[in-house]
Amino acid sequence: MSTNNETSLSYRCPLCEHHEAVLFSTYPTFQLVKCAQCAFIYQPVLEHQIEQYISEIYDAQWVQMREQYTEQTFHEHAAFNHLLIQMFYPYAAEKGRLLEIGSGTGEFLHLMNSIGWDVIGIEPSVAACEYASQTFNLPLRCDMFDPVKLAASEPIATDVQVICFWHVLEHQADPISFLQGAASLLHQDGIMLFSVPNLRSLTNQIHGLQSPLLSERDHLSHFTMEHIQMLLRKANLQSVSLFTRQEINRHVRDVSSIGQLKDKSSLSLQQLVKWQAELQSNGEGHEIVCVCKKGS
Ligand SMILES: [Zn+2]
């Protein structure tokens, strides 16, 4: 992926605060720019615009589309995310409070609630909240995340043992403030877990600037692992684990979309899994997963 235009633009980088960027790519309704100092790729956007995007994109049709993948969501995401908590939260056996920011249609929170966690979920999409309520009897708070407002209205949203946000940070105009706000609700010994799409993913390597990850209007930030490390330092958080993951269903889709490999049966199972493992070891998995805690 290369920059199309080197003309200097005056935008403030949400990560390093440098006031100079260059155009990275142009789409029908928005542009992505690249920070001239830290190479972070972001969409210059006003905070209130993202609320409008979310109500337009995450509507009843989106919920219906997601319903087709319920089984996959439980197997590949909810169960995996639960395992991460078991691995990295030393007091997981005792359960406790769990806050999920951006609960979507509620599968992960439903799973955690069903095994005894005291859960709270916040989700701005009205259609997704209705689905979670009807399907899992899960009362999500239908709102944008505001830590002060949340703590004032939900006593269990303070001193939280585990805070998660899966594929949420890329939708934030100010990722540092978002992380600081989430951390303000975290118990001193608690952990935060999150995932974001990986700028260096195979998906982006295959599709270049036309990748669905880059051309989604509500993806405001595009992170590498180095950018996540920088973000943690800025938000006074300490990394516990940082890795990339190439889920197998995603991998099969990625591989199938490469022209010469349309017939994925041309790759043996061993070759396919070896490739998946190589991507994960090289930091090129589809998503970056981060586990972190409060800095000392
Ligand atoms: Zn920067």
Side-chain angles (χ1 to χ4, degrees):
M1 285 175 284
S2 63
T3 303
N4 295 330
N5 186 336
E6 294 294 336
T7 307
S8 179
L9 302 165
S10 181
Y11 291 117
R12 178 183 162 277
C13 172
L15 210 50
C16 76
E17 300 178 45
H18 186 67
H19 277 268
E20 191 188 352
V22 290
L23 182 64
F24 180 72
S25 54
T26 300
Y27 301 95
T29 55
F30 68 93
Q31 289 186 327
L32 289 176
V33 302
K34 182 176 175 180
C35 171
Q37 180 165 271
C38 76
F40 182 53
I41 291 167
Y42 62 98
Q43 198 185 135
V45 67
L46 298 170
E47 195 66 52
H48 73 268
Q49 284 178 284
I50 191 64
E51 294 189 37
Q52 189 194 340
Y53 291 174
I54 285 172
S55 62
E56 283 171 14
I57 296 167
Y58 301 97
D59 57 5
Q61 207 178 351
W62 176 79
V63 168
Q64 206 175 15
M65 181 278 293
R66 259 188 81 108
E67 202 174 5
Q68 296 170 41
Y69 300 105
T70 300
E71 198 178 321
Q72 195 177 316
T73 304
F74 272 121
H75 286 156
E76 283 212 356
H77 298 283
F80 178 78
N81 295 340
H82 163 248
L83 192 58
L84 287 181
I85 293 169
Q86 290 296 123
M87 287 165 68
F88 293 108
Y89 182 56
Y91 314 106
E94 296 165 25
K95 312 290 193 299
R97 296 174 173 178
L98 186 147
L99 165 66
E100 186 185 26
I101 305 165
S103 306
T105 36
E107 289 81 2
F108 168 68
L109 213 58
H110 169 67
L111 173 68
M112 298 308 287
N113 192 28
S114 72
I115 60 168
W117 287 79
D118 201 1
V119 303
I120 177 162
I122 182 156
E123 165 58 47
S125 160
V126 176
C129 290
E130 282 171 1
Y131 178 90
S133 169
Q134 286 162 12
T135 313
F136 304 122
N137 195 24
L138 202 57
L140 302 179
R141 277 182 67 97
C142 195
D143 206 349
M144 295 294 284
F145 174 62
D146 176 334
V148 176
K149 194 171 150 192
L150 185 61
S153 55
E154 297 275 1
I156 73 155
T158 52
D159 273 338
V160 181
Q161 278 78 20
V162 176
I163 298 182
C164 308
F165 34 101
W166 315 112
H167 288 254
V168 166
L169 202 59
E170 69 271 25
H171 303 285
Q172 307 305 317
D174 187 347
I176 296 174
S177 293
F178 182 91
L179 276 187
Q180 288 170 331
S184 72
L185 304 178
L186 191 65
H187 186 275
Q188 194 54 42
D189 299 325
I191 58 163
M192 287 212 296
L193 306 95
F194 63 91
S195 55
V196 291
N198 183 6
L199 179 65
R200 298 212 179 102
S201 66
L202 179 62
T203 313
N204 284 351
Q205 292 174 35
I206 294 169
H207 299 284
L209 296 176
Q210 296 315 311
S211 164
L213 296 176
L214 295 168
S215 59
E216 287 282 350
R217 188 180 52 157
D218 63 324
H219 284 187
L220 308 185
S221 301
H222 299 277
F223 301 97
T224 61
M225 295 238 270
E226 292 75 22
H227 288 132
I228 294 293
Q229 281 165 336
M230 200 171 148
L231 193 59
L232 294 181
R233 282 196 300 275
K234 294 259 179 186
N236 193 27
L237 292 163
Q238 199 180 328
S239 173
V240 174
S241 183
L242 185 63
F243 60 95
T244 73
R245 179 178 182 227
Q246 178 81 352
E247 315 107 277
I248 189 63
N249 283 326
R250 172 76 62 182
H251 188 49
V252 169
R253 283 206 297 281
D254 275 348
V255 170
S256 306
S257 70
I258 301 176
Q260 65 271 35
L261 289 173
K262 275 209 170 74
D263 177 11
K264 63 177 182 290
S265 61
S266 63
L267 270 187
S268 70
L269 175 65
Q270 288 91 333
Q271 286 172 317
L272 193 71
V273 175
K274 177 173 177 275
W275 195 357
Q276 181 194 19
E278 281 172 349
L279 288 167
Q280 291 179 155
S281 349
N282 297 337
E284 295 170 320
H286 184 80
E287 60 180 0
I288 298 172
V289 181
C290 178
V291 183
C292 59
K293 59 183 184 179
K294 285 188 173 184
S296 47

